[in-house]
């Protein structure tokens, strides 16, 4: 089979890497690099994990994959909890979380800067139309974009998603990426997880990417809580930066700030995950996957990718 996977986040790359080698698989990614919400970002000399900060492991498939990443130096154990450590390992990508995605993509046909624009049904299979109007005919499709976007891509076909799937919502997260000219005061291991009701809200998580080991210069990621992000979404960047820096003054001295870049994650985390690990339309050879389906985390995206590969095999 010829299979197109839309999205080179963890779910799409996991699905593509687990498909039988005799399938002809292409992964289409609209961004210039792979990883999606494993969004490692470079600004000047600083490196930030702007999206996912770490991942946990609860099942055998991800445990096996993680052991392989650890053995090859692709991932490392960052810590066993923040503040009152709970003893469970938190892993991260060696050069940032997107290292995991780059590793999975290495043996795949991944086309970045390739935004899927629309999906047309063929008698058997699909034509994928990209934003440069090029077309790719395939026998089966795996969509890992946020479900509202997948629904829009399918709008011109005669395939309809169930209403309660298409309408699933996502939380938003605003991230402040702060470069400093001196070390931050973020305590070991380089991360602070905050209770949303904590007096320092708006912040949910503060990470020191230098102490974590992925940035050569002091670089702090500030993640606002879902509620604060939604409420302040439309504020100009400089106002958001001012408020986040104010809330983070215990960990980053305002006088040390060299640059603050604001990043908005519109589809940060599904608010109401779908009960199955992927959604399958056998008749039209269509599979939907991503963290909406197996839990709003790296683990969920990975599990959903595995489930999607399994579903394609049984189409
Ligand atoms: C700020 C933030 C912090 C987080 N922190 C953590 C954490 O600490 N631990 C944890 O486990 N999880 C965390 N998560 C969640 C974790 O990042 C996600 O669950 C996981 O990365 C989702 O992977 P995915 O493949 O399902 O989706 P994505 O990574 O979103 O991948 C979807 C891909 O599809 C691409 N795409 C979309 N539309 C198109 C199109 N039309 N054509 C081509 N490509 C398209 C996108 O560009 C994207 O690359 C965090 C997420 C965010 C945003």
């Amino acid at each position: 089979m010829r299979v197109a996977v839309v999205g080179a986040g963890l779910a799409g790359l996991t699905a593509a890497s687990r498909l039988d080698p005799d399938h002809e698989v292409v992964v289409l990614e609209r961004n210039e690099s792979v990883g999606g919400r494993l969004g490692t970002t470079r600004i000047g000399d600083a490196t930030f994990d702007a999206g996912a900060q770490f991942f946990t492991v609860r099942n055998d498939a991800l445990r096996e994959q993680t052991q392989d990443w650890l053995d090859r130096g692709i991932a490392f154990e960052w810590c066993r909890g923040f503040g009152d450590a709970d003893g469970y390992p938190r892993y991260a990508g060696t050069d940032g979380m997107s290292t995991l995605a780059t590793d999975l993509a290495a043996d795949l046909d991944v086309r970045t800067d390739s935004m899927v624009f629309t999906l047309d049904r063929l008698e058997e299979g699909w034509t994928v139309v990209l934003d440069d109007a090029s077309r790719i005919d395939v026998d089966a499709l795996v969509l890992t974009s946020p479900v509202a976007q997948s629904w829009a891509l399918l709008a011109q076909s005669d395939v309809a998603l169930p209403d309660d799937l298409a309408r699933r919502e996502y939380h938003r997260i605003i991230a402040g990426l702060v470069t400093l000219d001196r070390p931050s005061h973020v305590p070991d291991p380089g991360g602070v997880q905050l209770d949303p009701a904590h007096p320092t809200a708006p912040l949910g998580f503060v990470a020191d990417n230098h102490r974590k080991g992925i940035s050569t210069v002091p670089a702090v990621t500030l993640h606002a809580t879902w509620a604060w992000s939604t409420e302040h979404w439309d504020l100009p960047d400089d106002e958001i930066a001012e408020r986040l820096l104010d809330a983070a003054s215990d960990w980053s001295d305002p006088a040390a700030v060299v640059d603050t870049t604001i990043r908005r994650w519109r589809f940060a985390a599904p608010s109401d995950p779908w009960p199955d690990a992927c959604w399958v339309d056998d008749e039209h050879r269509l599979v939907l996957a991503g963290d909406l389906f197996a839990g709003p985390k790296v683990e969920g995206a990975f599990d959903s990718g595995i489930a999607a590969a399994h579903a394609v095999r049984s189409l």
Side-chain angles (χ1 to χ4, degrees):
M1 275 201 298
R2 295 162 303 167
V3 183
V5 177
V6 177
L10 189 62
L13 292 170
T14 302
S17 64
R18 303 282 166 140
L19 284 170
D20 294 340
D22 49 342
H23 290 332
E24 204 179 292
V25 183
V26 59
V27 183
L28 302 163
E29 169 56 52
R30 71 173 176 190
N31 290 336
E32 63 182 11
S33 54
V34 299
R37 278 172 278 162
L38 304 180
T40 306
T41 302
R42 289 186 177 83
I43 299 171
D45 291 335
T47 303
F48 299 88
D49 269 332
Q53 301 295 304
F54 60 84
F55 66 102
T56 43
V57 176
R58 287 183 185 77
N59 70 36
D60 287 345
L62 184 55
R63 188 164 294 117
E64 200 178 301
Q65 175 69 71
T66 303
Q67 192 55 55
D68 174 55
W69 279 332
L70 292 170
D71 292 344
R72 291 189 293 118
I74 304 294
F76 67 101
E77 184 184 310
W78 179 13
C79 60
R80 298 214 165 191
F82 305 94
D84 293 333
D86 56 22
Y88 287 104
R90 268 72 164 180
Y91 300 99
T94 306
D95 294 320
M97 290 294 281
S98 64
T99 316
L100 311 176
T102 308
D103 181 59
L104 289 176
D107 296 327
L108 299 171
D109 177 4
V110 180
R111 303 186 196 169
T112 51
D113 285 319
S114 297
M115 178 166 176
V116 175
F117 194 64
T118 191
L119 299 166
D120 294 337
R121 279 248 298 119
L122 298 169
E123 203 163 310
E124 288 207 349
W126 295 86
T127 297
V128 179
V129 184
L130 299 177
D131 54 352
D132 64 359
S134 60
R135 303 165 79 83
I136 304 172
D137 288 348
V138 293
D139 303 301
L141 264 180
V142 178
L143 305 185
T144 68
S145 31
V147 71
Q149 294 177 357
S150 300
W151 175 80
L153 289 175
L154 292 165
Q156 285 181 30
S157 74
D158 55 351
V159 176
L161 300 179
D163 238 29
D164 61 336
L165 172 58
R167 289 178 194 282
R168 298 268 149 162
E169 255 303 335
Y170 290 73
H171 295 296
R172 304 170 187 221
I173 294 181
I174 297 178
L177 309 177
V178 187
T179 308
L180 301 173
D181 67 5
R182 67 200 79 159
S184 79
H185 304 303
V186 177
D188 276 335
V192 180
Q193 207 152 26
L194 295 153
D195 175 348
H198 191 274
T200 54
L203 296 173
F205 197 83
V206 178
D208 181 328
N209 297 285
H210 183 55
R211 189 156 291 150
K212 185 180 180 183
I214 67 163
S215 180
T216 53
V217 301
V220 171
T221 300
L222 306 175
H223 276 164
T225 58
W226 299 336
W228 194 93
S229 299
T230 304
E231 201 181 326
H232 298 85
W233 192 253
D234 295 322
L235 278 187
D237 285 7
D238 53 347
E239 276 186 50
I240 290 177
E242 198 182 316
R243 292 179 192 219
L244 293 183
L245 288 172
D246 195 37
S249 58
D250 282 356
W251 303 289
S252 65
D253 180 353
V257 174
V258 175
D259 175 72
T260 307
T261 299
I262 299 300
R263 174 145 188 199
R264 290 171 178 75
W265 294 98
R266 168 63 187 88
F267 298 97
S271 49
D272 182 17
W274 187 253
D276 304 316
C278 62
W279 182 83
V280 187
D281 176 342
D282 283 295
E283 186 192 345
H284 301 109
R285 294 183 173 177
L286 171 68
V287 179
L288 264 62
D291 68 343
L292 172 69
F293 296 90
K297 287 181 173 183
V298 166
E299 286 179 287
F302 181 82
D303 290 351
S304 183
I306 300 243
H310 185 72
V312 170
R313 259 181 256 127
S314 54
L315 284 176

